[in-house]
Amino acid sequence: MVNKYSSRDKDKHKYNNELSMIDRSHATTNYRNEPCNESFTCKNCSEFVLPECAATKHRNHCPKCLVSIHVDINPGDRASMCGGNMEPISVWVRKNGEWAIIHRCRTCGEISSNRIAADDNPTLLMSIAVKPLAMPPFPLGML
């Protein structure tokens, strides 16, 4: 039987397994179930962000520029190693009427949804919401 894996592939697989074991041994709090009370400085606009102003237990983006950081694979797990800036690209309204921001990672392209917070920039939220109306994909004279 021919071994289909080169020694380089085996070394890479071994390294990834070891990295995964290290990552699991340093398990962090699962913020899906636990409140996130961490303050942070926005990597995009340098705003210092306090969790108390959000009126939610899960602050995950800057209220000034609405940029988030790609830290989760599943909400709250902090398992992503990407760490790229997640730019706000759209908003949507949930069944209960609550707004959420659609973010896209500038590094890997991953898309995720985050609920808005009480102190989010309302002007920026509205400008994101009306952008498709301000820039239609066809001439308005065709209507």
Side-chain angles (χ1 to χ4, degrees):
M1 181 173 172
V2 177
N3 185 353
K4 63 180 180 178
Y5 299 107
S6 70
S7 75
R8 184 174 157 194
D9 289 338
K10 287 180 184 178
D11 290 342
K12 186 176 178 182
H13 182 71
K14 181 179 176 185
Y15 172 77
N16 286 339
N17 282 345
E18 288 173 0
L19 187 60
S20 181
M21 285 172 50
I22 291 168
D23 192 41
R24 282 192 301 262
S25 70
H26 292 92
T28 59
T29 304
N30 184 334
Y31 290 114
R32 186 168 183 96
N33 302 319
E34 298 292 325
C36 179
N37 297 317
E38 299 171 8
S39 299
F40 62 92
T41 301
C42 177
K43 286 186 178 180
N44 186 61
C45 71
S46 302
E47 180 82 3
F48 185 69
V49 180
L50 298 169
E52 297 85 32
C53 302
T56 179
K57 296 178 184 175
H58 303 284
R59 160 63 76 196
N60 53 19
H61 59 271
C62 173
K64 181 179 176 185
C65 68
L66 306 179
V67 170
S68 184
I69 301 297
H70 190 184
V71 294
D72 295 340
I73 293 174
N74 295 308
D77 66 8
R78 300 298 194 260
S80 175
M81 295 181 132
C82 177
N85 281 0
M86 302 279 286
E87 64 182 333
I89 59 170
S90 185
V91 293
W92 70 288
V93 182
R94 295 179 173 188
K95 288 182 199 176
N96 62 0
E98 179 183 50
W99 278 33
I101 304 169
I102 304 295
H103 285 103
R104 179 179 50 219
C105 181
R106 292 179 184 152
T107 303
C108 71
E110 181 77 22
I111 292 180
S112 68
S113 173
N114 292 306
R115 51 193 294 205
I116 66 165
D119 60 343
D120 283 349
N121 182 337
T123 305
L124 188 52
L125 282 168
M126 289 303 293
S127 70
I128 292 168
V130 301
K131 193 172 187 175
L133 298 173
M135 301 171 65
F138 50 82
L140 290 177
M142 292 180 65
L143 292 177

